[in-house]
Amino acid sequence: MNHKTICQLFVIPASLGASLCVSAPLETPVPQAEVATVSAASVGKGDDANPPVHPTEIQDAPTIVNAEFLEQIRESGKQQVAEADYKLAVQSVNNNNRGTASELIREAAFLQPANTRYLHLASRLAFELKDYKATEMYLFRLLAIYRAESTPDALKQITLFDELATLYHVRGQKSAERSALMEGLALKKTIFGEDHPYIIDDLYRLAALDLTSGNIGESKRLLKRAFELLETSSVAIDDRDVATAFHNIGELYSATGQLGEAESAYLKALVFWNKAPEMNRQGIEMTTARLARVQAAQSSTEVVQSFDGAQGDKSLSVTPYSPGEARARM
């Protein structure tokens, strides 16, 4: 199983639609001249030639088009409009017109509320437009759909929990973020096992939460576990993912004042960044700068709060990504 992206870099900063309806065809009114005209063939043949039609006979006439057929037409119309909305939304995204795309995909998701393609795009656009309430609604709808399947897809659920965790992080909802991370982590452990590197990302995200909540002991425990998994894993991990993970661990160690551990993590990150220096130039520059600050602090009397990594409140900022795009791809 090839793990394309298990980690996202984070650094510690310096400081819905219309319904269709099928209308019945309009009856063409009969001209008055025709109503008044009497057929010559009927003259003198008595009332039986053209017997009057009683109104109730018209009302009781058999229905030619039944309700089920009309419903099929209506549903087919909804599907066609929804798919057209979706294609236009994708085109609008490509044209960098996310406002229009959001309106179109919102209608598509309203017309076809169980279509996962529409819901994924709708959640992504809502997140990018900072409509976090709508983002959460679409993600929960997707989660309900995947859970209701005869054979629930755990990997898709894992992706949704990762996206919910990021959404709650952006909104500053630490309790909800922790719950989403824990549910995703439990599924990962069930599928991949306790020692799989796929869980590293969750470990240091939880460590970051514990750090900002003042739970330093638990934060250190989680960091130590993540570090161990990176060094002892028998599963092949992409070099850039390893570098990213070590860099992130270094960030958290810096913020907790464990400068020696931070230095070690940064140095390991650089080893993996430098395996493809042209491709990883930005990562090399970032990690090198962090390493220099840690090394300078170790040789002076500076306190950890003077670092970029922990200015006073020790706030952490995870690099955001759009819901709909998995943090980890199988």
Side-chain angles (χ1 to χ4, degrees):
M1 189 173 295
N2 184 22
H3 295 267
K4 297 294 183 184
T5 305
I6 65 166
C7 308
Q8 295 288 329
L9 274 173
F10 69 81
V11 296
I12 306 172
S15 51
L16 228 171
S19 61
L20 299 176
C21 105
V22 179
S23 55
L26 298 174
E27 295 183 356
T28 304
V30 180
Q32 283 300 114
E34 293 185 23
V35 175
T37 302
V38 179
S39 171
S42 67
V43 175
K45 292 185 179 180
D47 294 338
D48 292 337
N50 290 285
V53 179
H54 195 277
T56 57
E57 294 181 25
I58 298 176
Q59 296 172 4
D60 295 338
T63 303
I64 297 175
V65 182
N66 60 36
E68 182 179 354
F69 180 69
L70 286 174
E71 183 58 32
Q72 290 174 354
I73 294 176
R74 182 179 292 110
E75 185 60 29
S76 176
K78 287 182 179 180
Q79 292 173 356
Q80 292 176 20
V81 172
E83 186 64 18
D85 281 337
Y86 172 74
K87 291 178 179 178
L88 286 170
V90 172
Q91 183 178 334
S92 295
V93 170
N94 292 335
N95 292 333
N96 203 31
N97 191 343
R98 280 165 170 69
T100 298
S102 179
E103 292 299 321
L104 288 164
I105 200 60
R106 183 181 301 178
E107 180 175 65
F110 173 73
L111 293 171
Q112 297 290 290
N115 188 302
T116 56
R117 286 186 302 136
Y118 304 164
L119 293 173
H120 276 296
L121 180 56
S123 68
R124 168 190 157 191
L125 286 170
F127 182 82
E128 291 180 357
L129 294 172
K130 303 187 187 312
D131 187 350
Y132 299 139
K133 184 176 181 181
T135 305
E136 183 180 42
M137 176 190 71
Y138 291 130
L139 291 176
F140 272 122
R141 193 183 298 178
L142 281 163
L143 190 59
I145 291 172
Y146 291 140
R147 281 176 164 173
E149 292 176 343
S150 55
T151 305
D153 192 324
L155 296 180
K156 290 178 179 178
Q157 292 181 52
I158 286 171
T159 297
L160 291 174
F161 282 124
D162 282 347
E163 293 172 351
L164 281 167
T166 295
L167 171 65
Y168 293 135
H169 177 83
V170 171
R171 296 175 70 176
Q173 297 174 268
K174 294 183 180 180
S175 179
E177 181 184 359
R178 178 181 296 280
S179 294
L181 285 172
M182 292 299 291
E183 290 203 56
L185 179 59
L187 281 174
K188 291 176 184 178
K189 287 183 176 180
T190 298
I191 297 172
F192 304 109
E194 297 277 344
D195 300 326
H196 199 284
Y198 192 27
I199 72 173
I200 292 171
D201 192 36
D202 298 284
L203 292 177
Y204 60 65
R205 292 177 79 185
L206 286 167
L209 273 177
D210 283 318
L211 176 61
T212 58
S213 300
N215 192 350
I216 306 300
E218 180 63 10
S219 179
K220 291 180 178 179
R221 186 190 71 79
L222 291 168
L223 285 176
K224 182 179 179 181
R225 180 60 180 149
F227 203 98
E228 289 173 351
L229 289 178
L230 279 170
E231 295 211 295
T232 63
S233 175
S234 60
V235 179
I237 314 174
D238 183 88
D239 289 337
R240 297 184 70 186
D241 289 337
V242 177
T244 299
F246 275 127
H247 175 94
N248 289 345
I249 290 172
E251 290 288 281
L252 292 174
Y253 273 135
S254 295
T256 60
Q258 296 174 276
L259 304 185
E261 290 85 347
E263 180 182 21
S264 177
Y266 288 137
L267 287 170
K268 290 180 182 294
L270 285 173
V271 170
F272 288 93
W273 286 133
N274 280 307
K275 288 187 177 183
E278 291 302 317
M279 181 184 299
N280 301 324
R281 186 175 304 168
Q282 184 177 358
I284 292 171
E285 292 176 355
M286 182 188 307
T287 302
T288 299
R290 298 298 193 185
L291 175 62
R293 289 181 180 273
V294 166
Q295 291 175 331
Q298 285 181 294
S299 60
S300 70
T301 58
E302 291 179 22
V303 293
V304 71
Q305 283 79 5
S306 67
F307 295 171
D308 285 344
Q311 292 197 1
D313 60 359
K314 299 183 180 180
S315 60
L316 299 173
S317 178
V318 177
T319 302
Y321 72 105
S322 299
E325 299 174 0
R327 292 178 65 87
R329 304 197 182 279
M330 299 292 108

